[in-house]
Amino acid sequence: MTDTNKTTNQQWGGRFSEPVDAFVARFTASVEFDQRMAKQDIQGSIAHGKMLASVGVLTEEERDQIIQGLTEIEEEIARGEFAWSIELEDVHMNIEARLTQKIGITGKKLHTGRSRNDQVATDIRLYLRDEVDFLLEEVTRLQQGILSLAEKEANTIMPGFTHLQTAQPVTFGHHLMAWYEMMQRDYERLVDCRKRINILPLGAAALAGTTYPIDRNMTAELLGFERPTYNSLDSVSDRDFAIEFTSAASIIMMHMSRWAEEMVMWASAQFNFIYLPDRFCTGSSIMPQKKNPDVPELVRGKTGRVYGHLMGLLTLMKSQCLAYNKDNQEDKEPLFDTVDTLRGSLRAFADMIPAIESRKDNMYEAARRGFSTATDLADYLVRKGAAFRDAHEVVGKAVGYGVKEGKDLSEMTLQELKSFGEMIEQDVFDVLTLEGSVAARDHIGGTAPAQVIKAVTRAKQELAVR
Ligand code: ARG
């Protein structure tokens, strides 16, 4: 990166009587971060050049020179040989200047009928579309990981919680499939957001369109966009798609932070429900016994920065008058960091989730201890003719007795149970077992092992048609 005290204002020198202040040049430059979109900038420029040639604004030789020059520049960038310059402000002007250096005056013709305003809007959309496509694959990989674990854990019994108090027994497979459902909605949100990313702003030029006979449908088709945008002012100023993406990303991070919290708790000595392989954990420099669940903790923590970016982008756009304003240059860093954070977090989870091992005995024991089949006893009484509210009362008394005596419901004798409700018979023990309790919830969305297997099968079909 070159950075001298003198700047040249090559691109708009005509109107200026003194060079821009060196600090101002640095302050207003975006090349340090927007060079990330170089590939997309070149892709957009090649399509623009082809379109200009097809409508007769450029000759075919000029078009070919431009394509050749840009292709070489792309290779220079890939090889790390491209000399980025702060004086040239951003990725667009750096590449254009290099093109002119390489092919002469024809390079200066590429900018005919466009502006950096529609160019940058196009680049971000191309960039984000690529990233969304990659993220969709990562979400799918994570979902596949959840399914493989859920299938293994369809029969594993654990306590289900409300208020973090033992509520009713559930299967671990069922719990995992709740995570799958969250990810499924996240996938759909990204797909939906992609539809509004995939529209071409190029052709809006600075804000009002251009006097050249451009063919925006052609450019859209060349770049794989669904269609061109319909209003030039909106085209150069709209960043809704970035906000939508960051919002979808925030929801994904929110979901992952919830699982992260569960994993951190469950991996603790107090719960000891799961084993996280060592490769996803680190130790402590002072406490030799420690094995810390860093990966879930860090994902939980990184959720905050993505929320922050969402707020940042919303605030960036708040009250902005039409059309392009330099403010919009501030959209990139939050967007890029959101992408990086999401990529990292999804990758970590997709790698880690299928490697989780359950501590089945501890899960089972925890479910057994917490009177988790109390509702099953109430349902049993209802089947024997009691009204649900009365049954609730009876079971409440039995639980109170159990707490005092240190006995779970299933550990009481028939005699003890009968003292709370005359209609209780020997068959009560079928419903007081954890296995009986989960197996009985055998309907769409229920926790029965048979339903977990059905849910996994349905989900596999869902993923198969992606
Ligand atoms: N670097 C600018 C951005 O990121 C590109 C567009 C600048 N346009 C302008 N007229 N200054 O938004």
Side-chain angles (χ1 to χ4, degrees):
M1 193 85 54
T2 59
D3 180 17
T4 58
N5 270 332
K6 283 219 155 141
T7 59
T8 48
N9 310 127
Q10 296 184 27
Q11 315 298 314
W12 53 75
R15 194 212 177 286
F16 283 70
S17 56
E18 63 173 348
V20 85
D21 179 84
F23 164 72
V24 172
R26 276 199 309 280
F27 185 69
T28 54
S30 55
V31 64
E32 302 246 20
F33 48 86
D34 66 15
Q35 54 180 272
R36 185 192 279 236
M37 305 187 304
K39 195 181 113 202
Q40 288 82 11
D41 193 68
I42 289 173
Q43 196 185 348
S45 287
I46 290 178
H48 182 65
K50 285 182 180 170
M51 183 280 288
L52 288 180
S54 100
V55 298
V57 174
L58 292 178
T59 65
E60 292 188 356
E61 298 77 72
E62 286 170 334
R63 174 197 64 196
D64 293 344
Q65 267 182 292
I66 286 172
I67 295 174
Q68 178 60 30
L70 287 171
T71 310
E72 285 170 24
I73 292 172
E74 192 174 0
E75 287 160 7
E76 288 170 16
I77 295 170
R79 285 197 300 268
E81 286 166 6
F82 190 91
W84 297 101
S85 153
I86 292 230
E87 290 168 16
L88 291 167
E89 196 177 314
D90 56 26
V91 63
H92 324 293
M93 294 203 293
N94 267 268
I95 291 175
E96 191 190 320
R98 176 74 183 125
L99 181 67
T100 302
Q101 206 178 52
K102 285 171 88 78
I103 67 172
I105 186 153
T106 309
K108 296 186 181 176
K109 295 188 178 176
L110 172 62
H111 212 52
T112 313
R114 78 173 181 187
S115 147
R116 281 184 297 151
N117 298 351
D118 58 344
Q119 188 178 356
V120 71
T122 302
D123 291 3
I124 312 169
R125 284 170 185 264
L126 285 171
Y127 162 81
L128 199 53
R129 189 179 69 185
D130 289 347
E131 290 295 344
V132 166
D133 287 342
F134 178 78
L135 290 165
L136 286 170
E137 283 174 31
E138 282 294 85
V139 171
T140 302
R141 195 163 73 84
L142 176 50
Q143 287 183 294
Q144 281 160 347
I146 298 170
L147 290 186
S148 77
L149 187 60
E151 202 165 22
K152 275 195 277 182
E153 304 287 356
N155 290 294
T156 308
I157 292 175
M158 64 179 283
F161 301 95
T162 57
H163 315 269
L164 198 55
Q165 308 289 317
T166 298
Q168 294 172 353
V170 295
T171 50
F172 185 32
H174 189 57
H175 192 107
L176 290 162
M177 288 307 285
W179 292 356
Y180 176 91
E181 287 300 317
M182 294 180 217
M183 276 293 117
Q184 179 59 22
R185 293 193 295 275
D186 290 334
Y187 185 92
E188 288 168 15
R189 257 184 290 274
L190 284 178
V191 168
D192 194 58
C193 153
R194 190 189 190 283
K195 290 181 205 158
R196 280 172 296 279
I197 295 172
N198 199 28
I199 300 171
L200 171 79
L202 202 65
L207 76 166
T210 176
T211 54
Y212 299 95
I214 56 172
D215 179 353
R216 298 187 66 209
N217 285 317
M218 176 181 173
T219 319
E221 198 174 316
L222 286 173
L223 292 171
F225 282 109
E226 184 62 33
R227 60 169 175 86
T229 50
Y230 294 144
N231 182 289
S232 63
L233 295 165
D234 183 46
S235 307
V236 291
S237 72
D238 169 33
R239 294 294 182 273
D240 292 5
F241 62 92
I243 295 173
E244 264 190 84
F245 169 77
T246 311
S247 157
S250 295
I251 297 177
I252 299 178
M253 293 303 296
M254 177 273 288
H255 285 152
M256 288 201 286
S257 78
R258 296 181 62 188
W259 316 359
E261 176 73 5
E262 293 187 335
M263 283 189 267
V264 169
M265 284 195 295
W266 293 356
S268 70
Q270 287 67 28
F271 271 85
N272 201 9
F273 279 7
I274 55 168
Y275 170 80
L276 293 178
D278 290 355
R279 64 183 182 279
F280 300 109
C281 302
T282 64
S284 157
S285 54
I286 175 167
M287 297 167 284
Q289 85 284 10
K290 289 297 285 290
K291 173 176 156 183
N292 300 325
D294 291 56
V295 168
E297 287 175 87
L298 210 45
V299 168
R300 190 176 57 185
K302 283 178 185 291
T303 304
R305 65 201 285 162
V306 175
Y307 289 7
H309 295 325
L310 174 60
M311 261 325 116
L313 287 172
L314 281 167
T315 313
L316 173 68
M317 295 313 293
K318 178 183 177 293
S319 316
Q320 246 198 65
C321 57
L322 288 172
Y324 177 86
N325 300 285
K326 184 76 171 180
D327 312 42
N328 284 2
Q329 182 166 295
E330 285 290 305
D331 63 353
K332 282 163 213 68
E333 285 163 295
L335 191 61
F336 295 162
D337 190 66
T338 298
V339 165
D340 292 343
T341 307
L342 199 52
R343 280 178 85 124
S345 303
L346 281 170
R347 179 187 167 161
F349 268 34
D351 290 350
M352 186 179 63
I353 300 292
I356 289 177
E357 286 169 29
S358 63
R359 294 278 183 251
K360 295 188 177 47
D361 292 351
N362 296 335
M363 288 181 164
Y364 192 88
E365 194 44 39
R368 223 180 49 78
R369 273 198 315 264
F371 298 98
S372 64
T373 55
T375 316
D376 297 81
L377 179 56
D379 289 343
Y380 170 88
L381 293 171
V382 168
R383 280 198 299 279
K384 296 273 177 179
F388 183 78
R389 280 295 160 215
D390 294 335
H392 187 281
E393 169 88 16
V394 167
V395 178
K397 286 187 176 140
V399 168
Y401 171 79
V403 170
K404 218 167 72 221
E405 298 293 312
K407 278 185 187 176
D408 185 63
L409 293 171
S410 61
E411 291 166 337
M412 294 179 194
T413 64
L414 181 58
Q415 224 34 55
E416 281 174 307
L417 288 167
K418 258 189 176 313
S419 71
F420 301 105
E422 253 316 304
M423 65 270 262
I424 298 179
E425 307 289 345
Q426 183 62 35
D427 61 353
V428 74
F429 292 105
D430 300 342
V431 310
L432 290 185
T433 64
L434 299 176
E435 288 78 3
S437 171
V438 293
R441 287 167 170 77
D442 191 14
H443 53 78
I444 297 173
T447 195
Q451 289 299 331
V452 175
I453 295 300
K454 278 189 189 163
V456 169
T457 308
R458 198 196 53 74
K460 280 185 180 168
Q461 285 158 2
E462 196 161 70
L463 297 190
V465 295
R466 271 191 191 162

